[in-house]
Amino acid sequence: MNTEHTLAIVKPDGVGKRLIGEVISRYEKEGLEIVALRMIKLSKREAKGFYAVHSDKHFFDSLTDFMSSGPVVVAVLAGENAISRNRQLMGATNPKEAAEGTIRRDFADGIEQNVVHGSDSPENAAIEINYFFPGIQLVHTS
Ligand code: CMP
């Protein structure tokens, strides 16, 4: 068993499109367990901190404006190979390249406003979970 935790975000466009329930439902139908959940509105500074790894990218300012433009839902998902399974559910960053039936293919408007975020590695998952849920005791229901 390779039980992993991963950080998932329903971004401001996903919240604005009333997709919180749809996205959470996809996690649950996939068998990923929701072990932490909260809704927050990021400040620009918090968005920049979260995406610090992208601070040298041309889209950094726009991305952090977008991520601080409205509420987001942040969650910790748990399960076997949770990181890659969540990334399969999300689809490619650019919805035009995302496979059919993925969240981004179904709902995203573009490469920046792409509805969801998911950690890309165990190392980043640990950093990202700690960013939004510092010191949390993760609760498992199964
Ligand atoms: P995410 O998976 O949250 O990781 C970084 C985010 O940066 C990505 O989703 C997109 O929202 C955004 N992003 C990535 N590439 C680009 C790009 N070329 N132009 C604008 N935004 C981008």
Side-chain angles (χ1 to χ4, degrees):
M1 276 275 280
N2 179 35
T3 303
E4 289 177 335
H5 292 88
T6 188
L7 192 279
I9 307 179
V10 184
K11 296 184 179 186
D13 58 330
V15 174
K17 289 176 172 177
R18 306 286 190 263
L19 290 172
I20 299 170
E22 171 71 30
V23 170
I24 299 252
S25 175
R26 289 191 185 206
Y27 300 149
E28 291 194 317
K29 284 182 184 145
E30 167 63 22
L32 294 169
E33 194 183 354
I34 290 144
V35 297
L37 186 72
R38 55 190 285 237
M39 179 180 243
I40 50 176
K41 182 162 185 311
L42 297 178
S43 65
K44 172 86 172 171
R45 185 191 164 111
E46 288 167 329
K48 285 167 93 171
F50 180 73
Y51 279 120
V53 66
H54 294 302
S55 59
D56 59 345
K57 305 273 172 51
H58 68 89
F59 55 79
F60 183 64
D61 193 45
S62 171
L63 172 64
T64 52
D65 271 352
F66 162 56
M67 288 299 291
S68 56
S69 67
V72 297
V73 171
V74 291
V76 180
L77 311 179
E80 191 165 6
N81 301 315
I83 294 169
S84 63
R85 283 165 67 202
N86 183 38
R87 291 181 72 79
Q88 278 181 11
L89 280 183
M90 292 193 302
T93 306
N94 186 342
K96 288 186 188 144
E97 293 162 11
E100 278 199 30
T102 60
I103 295 168
R104 287 167 169 165
R105 174 69 171 261
D106 287 349
F107 302 115
D109 289 334
I111 194 165
E112 180 174 274
Q113 303 208 6
N114 60 359
V115 181
V116 279
H117 168 83
S119 309
D120 64 2
S121 67
E123 295 73 25
N124 285 337
I127 293 167
E128 292 178 3
I129 290 167
N130 187 57
Y131 194 79
F132 288 117
F133 299 96
I136 195 170
Q137 287 221 291
L138 297 169
V139 178
H140 289 265
T141 57
S142 57

